[in-house]
Amino acid sequence: MSDTVKLTCLACSAANRVPVAKLSASPKCGVCGAKLSDGKVATLDPATLAKAVKTDQLPLLVDFWAPWCGPCRMMAPQFEQVARDLAPRARLAKINTQDFPQVSQKFGIRGIPLLILFQNGREIGRLTGARPAAEIAAFVRETANTPA
C-alpha cells in the first residue's frame, strides 16, 4: 500500500487523499469537515455507495439491511462494535434496501442481512446472515488488505 489512501467522504461524497500515517488521527474531509474514519457506521445512499466502492482504497464493509428485518436489527449492535474495533483500518457503512431497492438489484442481493466488502474499486467478499462481532471482524481482517 502507498503512503496515502483515497477515501470518499461518506457525508458529502467528496474524494480525499489521506496519508496512511494520519489515519489514526481522525482525518477530516477537506470539503465538509466530516470525520473520514471515526469508528462509526455511516448511513449511505446509492450515489455515495457507488462513489465509495469505485474510489476507496481502505476496506469498506457495507451492511445491506431493512428496518423490518429482525436479524438485521439484532446484528446492528455487533456491526457498530466492529466499526469501532476496526477503525481506522477499515470503514463500515449500511444502506437500507427498503428505501433503495435498486441496490438489491445492482448487487444481486436475494436475502438480508448481507455484508459486502469492497476495496480498490471491486467487491472482495460477502458474508450472509446475522453474525457476531468477532466473525465480522475476522472476515474483514482475513479478506481485505488493511494498512498496519
Side-chain angles (χ1 to χ4, degrees):
M1 192 170 271
S2 71
D3 294 341
T4 63
V5 291
K6 288 188 250 175
L7 295 176
T8 301
C9 176
L10 300 180
C12 75
S13 298
N16 291 266
R17 188 172 296 276
V18 179
V20 172
K22 303 275 185 181
L23 283 172
S24 59
S26 297
K28 294 182 179 177
C29 174
V31 174
C32 75
K35 290 184 179 181
L36 295 172
S37 184
D38 61 359
K40 294 182 181 172
V41 176
T43 301
L44 303 179
D45 60 50
T48 304
L49 173 62
K51 186 165 183 183
V53 165
K54 181 179 175 184
T55 306
D56 282 17
Q57 292 177 311
L58 277 185
L60 175 66
L61 182 64
V62 180
D63 177 14
F64 293 83
W65 74 288
W68 50 262
C69 170
C72 297
R73 290 193 320 270
M74 276 183 16
M75 188 178 70
Q78 301 294 312
F79 197 67
E80 290 168 5
Q81 178 63 47
V82 175
R84 290 187 296 272
D85 293 347
L86 293 181
R89 296 175 310 278
R91 300 192 303 166
L92 278 69
K94 63 182 180 177
I95 190 162
N96 184 332
T97 59
Q98 178 177 313
D99 290 345
F100 304 110
Q102 67 272 30
V103 297
S104 294
Q105 184 177 11
K106 179 178 180 178
F107 291 103
I109 296 169
R110 299 183 188 275
I112 54 174
L114 174 66
L115 305 177
I116 302 180
L117 185 59
F118 301 97
Q119 189 172 14
N120 296 320
R122 63 185 187 91
E123 177 182 324
I124 59 173
R126 288 184 179 219
L127 193 61
T128 59
R131 303 294 178 114
E135 280 186 41
I136 298 168
F139 167 69
V140 173
R141 286 186 185 109
E142 293 166 6
T143 308
N145 178 18
T146 59

